[in-house]
Amino acid sequence: MKISLRDYTLADIDRLVLLANNENVSRYLVDTFPFPYTVQDARWWIETGAGECGTITRVIVCDDEFVGSVGLMPATGWRAHVAEIGYWVAEPYWGRGIATAALREMTEYAFRELGCEKLVAPVLVPNVASMRVLAKCGYRSEGCMVQEVRKGRRIWDVQRYAKLRD
């Protein structure tokens, strides 16, 4: 399996809606990834959200198909050496190592091209699969932030993972 990363285009709208409109995919993701996921959500993401506040977001391509996304949100000020990293893969592609491959590639990009010294990844505590992906890529837990995130009607604990530049 070989993956690649590329920029979003407006031609991705229908595929993004098809993949993202899945509660199993969205349940542990940030509020900018709603459920249900509509054409309007996809258009906003591609035109605005994917690059908002300096965010760098890429489509994950596997076997010539859009299967998910990975992104970096650089911090500013005295934390400008840090970026938050996140990813998702559509449910039909789970368990194939795609998230791990995409995270490795984006991690290398952040260190090599952006000059990041530290990458952080907040994970809602029930998302054990994402924690395993991070561990496979050399990220380590920095601890648990209790009742850190409100998503829907729930307040979630967040496990924070980080990786330092080698």
Side-chain angles (χ1 to χ4, degrees), residues 61-139:
V61 177
C62 182
D63 299 329
D64 298 320
E65 279 195 306
F66 171 170
V67 300
S69 189
V70 60
L72 292 162
M73 181 184 298
T76 59
W78 68 344
R79 294 186 67 242
H81 64 290
V82 178
E84 183 176 302
I85 194 163
Y87 49 89
W88 63 271
V89 173
E91 189 171 12
Y93 303 94
W94 289 357
R96 299 187 190 180
I98 294 168
T100 301
L103 180 62
R104 279 193 181 117
E105 190 166 324
M106 192 60 124
T107 297
E108 289 171 14
Y109 172 80
F111 289 142
R112 183 183 65 246
E113 301 298 325
L114 302 180
C116 292
E117 296 294 329
K118 180 177 185 177
L119 298 176
V120 298
V123 182
L124 297 186
V125 167
N127 194 352
V128 175
S130 190
M131 293 180 202
R132 281 195 299 263
V133 167
L134 288 157
K136 286 181 199 172
C137 293
Y139 285 73

Side-chain angles (χ1 to χ4, degrees), residues 3-161:
I3 67 112
S4 61
L5 306 179
R6 66 163 173 80
D7 290 331
Y8 275 95
T9 71
L10 288 175
D12 292 321
I13 288 176
D14 291 340
R15 180 75 175 165
L16 178 54
V17 172
L18 177 72
L19 300 178
N21 193 30
N22 179 328
E23 194 168 15
N24 291 329
V25 172
S26 68
R27 69 180 161 181
Y28 299 136
L29 298 178
V30 297
D31 290 348
T32 54
F33 200 107
F35 178 81
Y37 201 97
T38 67
V39 169
Q40 292 79 14
D41 295 322
R43 181 174 296 282
W44 174 84
W45 179 252
I46 292 169
E47 291 178 342
T48 305
E52 198 169 55
C53 300
T55 300
I56 298 164
T57 310
R58 301 289 185 261
V59 169
I60 303 169
V61 177
C62 182
D63 299 329
D64 298 320
E65 279 195 306
F66 171 170
V67 300
S69 189
V70 60
L72 292 162
M73 181 184 298
T76 59
W78 68 344
R79 294 186 67 242
H81 64 290
V82 178
E84 183 176 302
I85 194 163
Y87 49 89
W88 63 271
V89 173
E91 189 171 12
Y93 303 94
W94 289 357
R96 299 187 190 180
I98 294 168
T100 301
L103 180 62
R104 279 193 181 117
E105 190 166 324
M106 192 60 124
T107 297
E108 289 171 14
Y109 172 80
F111 289 142
R112 183 183 65 246
E113 301 298 325
L114 302 180
C116 292
E117 296 294 329
K118 180 177 185 177
L119 298 176
V120 298
V123 182
L124 297 186
V125 167
N127 194 352
V128 175
S130 190
M131 293 180 202
R132 281 195 299 263
V133 167
L134 288 157
K136 286 181 199 172
C137 293
Y139 285 73
R140 295 195 176 167
S141 173
E142 289 190 324
C144 184
M145 298 173 285
V146 178
Q147 296 188 6
E148 183 71 11
V149 172
R150 180 182 299 275
K151 181 167 171 85
R153 295 183 176 160
R154 288 193 60 184
I155 297 177
W156 301 82
D157 293 350
V158 173
Q159 191 73 33
R160 180 173 149 142
Y161 281 77

